[in-house]
mmCIF file of all heavy atoms in Angstrom:
data_model
loop_
_atom_site.group_PDB
_atom_site.id
_atom_site.type_symbol
_atom_site.label_atom_id
_atom_site.label_comp_id
_atom_site.label_asym_id
_atom_site.label_seq_id
_atom_site.Cartn_x
_atom_site.Cartn_y
_atom_site.Cartn_z
ATOM 1 N N VAL A 903 228.865 28.062 206.316
ATOM 2 C CA VAL A 903 229.299 26.815 205.843
ATOM 3 C C VAL A 903 228.672 25.689 206.703
ATOM 4 O O VAL A 903 228.871 25.626 207.860
ATOM 5 C CB VAL A 903 230.817 26.652 205.889
ATOM 6 C CG1 VAL A 903 231.284 25.341 205.501
ATOM 7 C CG2 VAL A 903 231.477 27.713 204.947
ATOM 8 N N LYS A 905 228.715 22.347 205.809
ATOM 9 C CA LYS A 905 229.131 21.007 205.277
ATOM 10 C C LYS A 905 229.215 19.964 206.386
ATOM 11 O O LYS A 905 229.069 20.374 207.552
ATOM 12 C CB LYS A 905 230.572 21.171 204.683
ATOM 13 C CG LYS A 905 231.630 21.516 205.691
ATOM 14 C CD LYS A 905 232.954 21.901 205.069
ATOM 15 C CE LYS A 905 233.984 22.262 206.147
ATOM 16 N NZ LYS A 905 235.174 22.888 205.601
ATOM 17 N N TYR A 909 228.484 20.258 210.582
ATOM 18 C CA TYR A 909 229.411 19.866 211.646
ATOM 19 C C TYR A 909 228.689 18.992 212.664
ATOM 20 O O TYR A 909 228.968 19.004 213.957
ATOM 21 C CB TYR A 909 230.051 21.061 212.366
ATOM 22 C CG TYR A 909 231.002 21.864 211.471
ATOM 23 C CD1 TYR A 909 231.658 23.006 211.977
ATOM 24 C CD2 TYR A 909 231.269 21.494 210.153
ATOM 25 C CE1 TYR A 909 232.527 23.752 211.205
ATOM 26 C CE2 TYR A 909 232.095 22.276 209.357
ATOM 27 C CZ TYR A 909 232.733 23.429 209.857
ATOM 28 O OH TYR A 909 233.582 24.165 209.085
ATOM 29 N N TYR A 997 236.007 28.997 191.951
ATOM 30 C CA TYR A 997 236.707 28.581 193.086
ATOM 31 C C TYR A 997 238.162 28.561 192.788
ATOM 32 O O TYR A 997 238.652 27.732 192.020
ATOM 33 C CB TYR A 997 236.240 27.239 193.480
ATOM 34 C CG TYR A 997 236.624 26.666 194.876
ATOM 35 C CD1 TYR A 997 235.943 25.528 195.358
ATOM 36 C CD2 TYR A 997 237.597 27.301 195.620
ATOM 37 C CE1 TYR A 997 236.242 25.020 196.652
ATOM 38 C CE2 TYR A 997 237.946 26.727 196.909
ATOM 39 C CZ TYR A 997 237.278 25.639 197.363
ATOM 40 O OH TYR A 997 237.589 25.150 198.639
ATOM 41 N N THR A 1033 240.046 30.008 199.596
ATOM 42 C CA THR A 1033 240.173 29.752 200.996
ATOM 43 C C THR A 1033 241.533 30.082 201.538
ATOM 44 O O THR A 1033 242.506 29.718 200.910
ATOM 45 C CB THR A 1033 239.880 28.273 201.276
ATOM 46 O OG1 THR A 1033 238.600 27.932 200.808
ATOM 47 C CG2 THR A 1033 239.923 27.972 202.758
ATOM 48 N N SER A 1070 236.284 30.900 209.538
ATOM 49 C CA SER A 1070 236.267 31.553 210.843
ATOM 50 C C SER A 1070 237.609 32.207 211.258
ATOM 51 O O SER A 1070 237.680 33.284 211.766
ATOM 52 C CB SER A 1070 235.895 30.532 211.899
ATOM 53 O OG SER A 1070 234.599 30.037 211.595
ATOM 54 N N ARG A 1085 232.791 33.641 205.346
ATOM 55 C CA ARG A 1085 232.263 32.297 205.084
ATOM 56 C C ARG A 1085 232.719 31.362 206.248
ATOM 57 O O ARG A 1085 233.458 30.357 206.003
ATOM 58 C CB ARG A 1085 232.951 31.840 203.786
ATOM 59 C CG ARG A 1085 232.155 30.740 203.028
ATOM 60 C CD ARG A 1085 232.875 30.329 201.771
ATOM 61 N NE ARG A 1085 234.202 29.862 202.024
ATOM 62 C CZ ARG A 1085 235.312 30.284 201.451
ATOM 63 N NH1 ARG A 1085 235.270 31.252 200.503
ATOM 64 N NH2 ARG A 1085 236.484 29.847 201.830
ATOM 65 N N PRO A 1086 232.148 31.625 207.437
ATOM 66 C CA PRO A 1086 232.528 30.796 208.571
ATOM 67 C C PRO A 1086 231.719 29.492 208.700
ATOM 68 O O PRO A 1086 230.594 29.378 208.208
ATOM 69 C CB PRO A 1086 232.266 31.741 209.699
ATOM 70 C CG PRO A 1086 231.029 32.446 209.262
ATOM 71 C CD PRO A 1086 231.200 32.679 207.866
ATOM 72 N N GLY A 1087 232.265 28.523 209.387
ATOM 73 C CA GLY A 1087 231.518 27.350 209.811
ATOM 74 C C GLY A 1087 231.393 27.225 211.259
ATOM 75 O O GLY A 1087 230.352 27.510 211.815
ATOM 76 N N ILE A 1088 232.503 26.996 211.936
ATOM 77 C CA ILE A 1088 232.445 26.670 213.382
ATOM 78 C C ILE A 1088 231.838 27.818 214.213
ATOM 79 O O ILE A 1088 231.094 27.584 215.159
ATOM 80 C CB ILE A 1088 233.870 26.334 213.900
ATOM 81 C CG1 ILE A 1088 233.836 25.742 215.329
ATOM 82 C CG2 ILE A 1088 234.815 27.462 213.896
ATOM 83 C CD1 ILE A 1088 233.404 24.282 215.361
ATOM 84 N N TYR A 1221 236.189 21.220 216.960
ATOM 85 C CA TYR A 1221 235.301 20.752 215.882
ATOM 86 C C TYR A 1221 234.843 19.359 216.207
ATOM 87 O O TYR A 1221 234.442 18.618 215.299
ATOM 88 C CB TYR A 1221 236.065 20.744 214.569
ATOM 89 C CG TYR A 1221 236.467 22.108 214.051
ATOM 90 C CD1 TYR A 1221 237.499 22.856 214.644
ATOM 91 C CD2 TYR A 1221 235.750 22.791 212.977
ATOM 92 C CE1 TYR A 1221 237.873 24.119 214.097
ATOM 93 C CE2 TYR A 1221 236.150 23.933 212.489
ATOM 94 C CZ TYR A 1221 237.190 24.675 213.038
ATOM 95 O OH TYR A 1221 237.583 25.861 212.569
HETATM 96 C C1 LIG B 1406 235.058 24.274 206.047
HETATM 97 C C2 LIG B 1406 235.271 25.499 205.236
HETATM 98 C C3 LIG B 1406 235.005 26.763 205.744
HETATM 99 C C4 LIG B 1406 234.645 26.987 207.207
HETATM 100 O O1 LIG B 1406 235.663 26.695 208.068
HETATM 101 P P1 LIG B 1406 235.560 27.072 209.643
HETATM 102 O O2 LIG B 1406 236.941 26.891 210.142
HETATM 103 O O3 LIG B 1406 234.595 26.103 210.205
HETATM 104 O O4 LIG B 1406 235.087 28.471 209.715
HETATM 105 C C5 LIG B 1406 235.101 27.818 204.877
HETATM 106 N N1 LIG B 1406 235.452 27.657 203.633
HETATM 107 C C6 LIG B 1406 235.701 26.445 203.046
HETATM 108 C C7 LIG B 1406 236.104 26.318 201.610
HETATM 109 C C8 LIG B 1406 235.627 25.323 203.878
HETATM 110 O O5 LIG B 1406 235.922 24.072 203.348
#
Side-chain angles (χ1 to χ4, degrees):
V903 176
K905 65 189 182 193
Y909 294 178
Y997 192 165
T1033 300
S1070 298
R1085 206 180 58 231
I1088 191 78
Y1221 294 74

